[in-house]
Amino acid sequence: MAPALRLLTLLLVILGAGIVQADFGDYADTSFDCPAITTCPTVCTEAAADCPTNCAEGKELCADGSCKTQCDGTEYNKCAALFACTTFSCAKINTDFDTCEEDYRSYYDKASECAWSIKEHHEVSFWEPAFVFCYVWIIFVTVLVVWWGVYNQRLVKVPNSTLQLEESNATSHSGWTQTAYKYSRAGRFIYFTTMKTWWSIQFLLAMLTVLYYQQQGYILQSYPVWFEDVKQVLFAFEITWMVGFVWCLVLAWPDSLRNYFLRRCRFDEADFVAVHVPDASFSSTQNDSSSSGKSVPFYIKNILKATTTLHGWLNSVLSTFFSDDTRKKEGGNYTYCPVEEDEQGNKSFYFRLRRYNYDDNESAEKFVPGVVHIGTTIGDLRSLRHGLSPEEVDQYLKAAGPNSIRLKKPNLLDSIYDEFGKLFYLYQNFLIWAWFPLWFFYIAILHTVVRVAGGLSVAYFKWKNDCCLYQLGQVTGDVDVLRDGQFISLPQQALVPGDIVAISSGLQYCDMVLLEAEHILVDESALTGEVTPIAKTALDAGESDKAYDPAMHKKHTISAGTTVIESDEQGKDLAVVTKTGSFTSKGELLRDILSYKRHRFKFDVEIEIVILILALYAVFCMIITLYFLEDEPVYGWFYGMYVVGTALPPLLPTVFVVSVGISDNRLLKKRIACTDSEGILVAGKVKVAFFDKTGTLTEQGLAFLSALSGSNWNKDIPSVPPSDELVRGMAVCHTLSKTVDGILVGNSVDITMFQQSGAKLEAYPDRPISVVESSGRSLTVLKRFDFDHRRMTQAVIVKDADGNILTYVKGSAESIKRICNPRSLPVEFDEIARRCARDGIYQIAMGVSDHLSSDVDIATISRDDAEANIDFVGFLNFKNVLKAETRQVLKELEEGDVRSAMITGDNVLTGINIAQECNLIPVGWRVLLGSSINSEGEIIWIDSATDEVAKAPTLDMLDGPASHVALAVTGETWSKLLETPEYAVQLSEHIRVYGRCTPNDKVSIVSTFVKKGNITLMCGDGGNDCGALKTAHVGIALSRAEASVVSPFTSLDLSLTAVTDILKEGRCALASAFSSYKYMIVYGQVETLSQVINAYFRITFADWNWTFMDGIWLISLAFALSLAEPAARLSPKRPTSSLLGPQTLSSVLGILFLNYFFTMLAIAALFGADWFSCRQWEFTDISNVLTIGDNYESEVIFLVTGYQYISSAIAFNFGYTYRAGWFRNYWFVFFALLWTTIHFIVTLVPSELSCLFRVNCSNEDVVTSVTSIDPQPINNPYNTTLMPADFRWVLILMMLLNLSANVCWDYFIVYGSVGEKIVVFIKKRISKKPAVTDDLRFSESTEKGFAPVIT
């Protein structure tokens, strides 16, 4: 053999099947003539005189029946080993097999009768005491389980053991309930009895497997047998398997079997509280409701209805069996939360991170949320100056619990336990047991390895994701706390609401509001994505009567998850703790992540339909198999179970998880962090993308252009130097601060404006901030008012060197005009504001007032007072600079059929200009702007280019092929549009710019598209985008905080290309997952067909054939398919997410048909060959699978269907525009070439390598098998499986044609131009028929509204 061929052979047998040459001395006829000459099976007799044949003269008869010149004494006497009374081996003879049967059948029968007569027999009636005990025991335990449910839930009810569960002291979730349970001796006894029975079933299956191999004489030969023969053992195994499977399957219905045996009780006795959250999609599914009119194929609708009906029926039956009417009516799940009791006897439990305390008040007597209110107004909070007393600490600690987020530390073993506790693995567990008898134990081991590998991969990705969330919830370190008038150092976990803490640098773990703040700089990027450090200030005494609102008073609030960059080193920065634990901003975000359900794809719904179809198909194939083996029902059952096992592929649940995990790792390498890897699949279906403007589409900073002063107004000469008043405003009207290193910190626009003023900022401890103008004049900052999104203004009160009090206010042109004295406004105010906005200029208007007297108490001045009597000062003009990648990203999104829109807080005309500059609005398009609302409540639409009033847009105007009209609206006009939701939704398809939007407006816009059923993406730099980032299906924050909880994705490089990277990975992951899914389906059905054919011929495959088919080929190719790289550009269409859609079905069914066709063609070619007519397999005994695999039928079926595993994977590896070219999947190409090369060598070249598969093999080349350490001779009458060379090439040709047909079908027909034409034709035909309502579109509701099923 050539060295290369030997190398391949060594590669294949490296797992232990060492190659051992053997010469069994049997004759193999390689002439391929008929009749075929063979060595007759050895004739065994009692003595030499009884032999019908003798050796030729000069030859000596050896112990193994061979005739030699001289025996060497090493010959193996098969007769002595097999038959106790016919131990003499007669001389072998070469003739045709029919002659062997005719001449020596009587000798063979006599030897078999002898062996049977001396064998120990033990007839079993299956009514022996041991069997009766098993029957009674299983009935007894089942009755106990049913009785417990009836007793616990119906017969002996506990009043008020189920009550509503409140989310806060004032509200409750609709349908959320809490039920009290405690341990019970009876319940524990039944539970342990049930679990003992569960394990006993596994033990019985193992014991019966051992007894099978004992009957085969393989193990425990010195022990007495329990059954009469092998069939009785197998029959007992089958009964145990079927009863055990049904019994265990029913017991898997409760959410937790252990908790099912808890006893209902009063809440003061509870050891557990079961929180029931109804399934929001349950009622809609049951009622077959619809929320969308999109047409779907009628067959999906009908199958879904049948599946829903079956599911509802099963749910009702099992609900009755377990006496659980809640699940029957509402669906959903129970979460059993352990009740904890502290040293003082206070009881509590945690659910979704929230602490619930037992309220023993007679009017309550239930668990309520641990909410602590420490004040509602700013005055209340400012009065908390002396710290808490020990009694108050105990009271608050009892209510709120320790300051920690109760995330369970991820444990890989727990993740593995949870994964393998799923129902699908119960099915797999019993299927593996079915493989252990019949000498298929190696396949059982192989399937165990495959299933364990798949389950471990899923568990690992889940554990990895849980670890990321766990790190976000960690609370560490100490803090200085004011308790009883003294500062003491305590762990962060000891904080309670109301504590006064000294702020120090580092990560903060509670929500606080500042009482005293000398110098605080914070980084909120982990919460908001905001990349710029922010200065925080103390609460304003002038607003003491106002209610404290964290959103309105962000400038004074430090949230958990914020990092303090700089603070007063002497501990003079003080804050009062407002919220701890899960009630903090960070805790609420983590609660959202943990309780959030991924938006459902169609495959989430359709996978149940697929499993049902495959299950029915498996049952059908099992019936066919039993029909073929009706004379051997015991063995037929096993063959049928093997068919069931392959019809439902074992790795089907893992393909989507693996694809997502691979894409997640690739994104991380591109510095895109992901906290919700399942969102990657959602990204593959994004249809609408929203972008913030500043810092997202444009650079974070703005370029200063000019200043226009109201005192020397000249709109045509912007180069005129600004007035001193305007320059002074530029120097003081901001919220900038300074680090200890002298670096300015604050809004980038404020920094640019301040630097243009030429002033210097002086910030020292114990002194107010002061500004020194370029002239040397100093101004002291007395009070600052942060930017208010509702007012659209920011203000500052300063005192000059002469003691004058001045108030400077800046903001949008509209907001400053609203509060300015009309006489101070230039006549051209509106004109210049609109012209600048239209030119893409970011414009800030500024005003000043000197109405405050020098003796006024600044601390008591409210914002309304400060912003009164304002005189206009001038305009400051800045220019937005597009990011270098913006145009390319938006262009690629448009080419990828993703519609883009801008949502900005800036002037809408500025937004239009930027949109036109980056081609978000195509050049030459007319833009209609919904600019304002008239006195009659109607929206005024104008042409943004001419300011001429236009007609309200209509669908006829917008939907025309040559309309070239885009819309733009303000936040105000959008809110007005929403008063007529249907009209708003229709227009939203054409709105490209949303301007002057508040954070709430941004949420409203995104949620409208979400409810409509569009898959949305929001990209922003954090800050006021947080709400929209969380509302969108896919949120992308441009932030440097890797552990950000503001959105599922974070671009650490702040690059807009992260949007296209994520969408490419999403489409790639979805396409790869579907490729692996289709491959799993095809693999299962190809093997199912081969198993049914094997049952028809009463044959099977050799050991190593199964190992490669169900192990090596399957794992290597299925997982390599998921390694495909994403395409370089977005495809003009999105990948399908429907398992039952025409594209997926045509791909799978087409390749299956082609594979079936070539399988039948190969069998027909075999039966049409002249040389095969006298070499057909005619044995009917299937009791020993080790002796029915060496025949030409199984050889041809293996070669043809085996290569279909490879050729089908090759067809599915094509990218179809969502993934990189097929050759870029290097691991897959390597495996495909390797297995193809080996397969073709095995087909063409007789050798030890081919003998590994018992293909083209003669006895001199046989190797060890999986089930034996010694080489076994060829087990057929002809002592060879060698095929004629010309027939081998026929098989190679069939394989190549099969490969070509598969590739052509999938690449050119299904996903190519031919398929597109067919789809267009079908759509035209369907459009002429009445639409079928899409019952899959909206199937579940979340706190955000509807969560659409992604089509």
Side-chain angles (χ1 to χ4, degrees), residues 781-835:
V781 178
L782 302 179
K783 190 171 187 177
R784 287 171 165 177
F785 296 94
D786 293 321
F787 181 78
D788 187 304
H789 288 288
R790 289 180 293 182
R791 293 174 177 265
M792 304 294 283
T793 62
Q794 183 263 318
V796 62
I797 302 175
V798 299
K799 182 164 69 173
D800 63 15
D802 299 329
N804 299 317
I805 306 297
L806 302 172
T807 302
Y808 287 88
V809 184
K810 75 175 192 294
S812 66
E814 300 94 325
S815 61
I816 295 299
K817 178 183 178 182
R818 187 170 56 249
I819 63 176
C820 274
N821 296 318
R823 65 177 182 276
S824 67
L825 297 172
V827 177
E828 303 91 346
F829 182 94
D830 291 334
E831 180 187 346
I832 193 67
R834 291 186 64 81
R835 190 185 74 179

Side-chain angles (χ1 to χ4, degrees), residues 485-499:
Q486 294 183 342
F487 275 99
I488 58 175
S489 181
L490 292 174
Q492 291 276 2
Q493 292 91 336
L495 291 177
V496 295
D499 267 329

Side-chain angles (χ1 to χ4, degrees), residues 515-552:
L515 302 177
E516 307 243 347
E518 293 288 338
H519 177 70
I520 296 228
L521 291 177
V522 301
D523 176 6
E524 295 182 335
S525 57
L527 291 176
T528 66
E530 180 64 56
V531 297
T532 306
I534 300 170
K536 296 287 185 177
T537 61
L539 286 171
D540 186 359
E543 298 182 338
S544 295
D545 59 335
K546 292 188 176 181
Y548 169 69
D549 183 350
M552 290 295 299

Side-chain angles (χ1 to χ4, degrees), residues 110 219 241 244 247 490 519 542 557 701 822 828 841 973 984 1070 1238 1331:
K110 182 178 180 181
I219 56 175
W241 192 99
W247 194 79
L490 292 174
H519 177 70
T557 302
E828 303 91 346
I841 294 174
T973 53
L1070 197 55
I1238 292 174

Side-chain angles (χ1 to χ4, degrees), residues 121 404 466 614 729-730 754 912 926 971 1067 1097 1153 1196 1242:
H121 298 284
S404 62
D466 290 343
L614 292 178
M730 294 166 63
F754 178 76
I912 292 172
R926 184 188 181 198
R1067 294 186 178 189
F1097 288 120
F1153 172 80
V1196 169
V1242 166

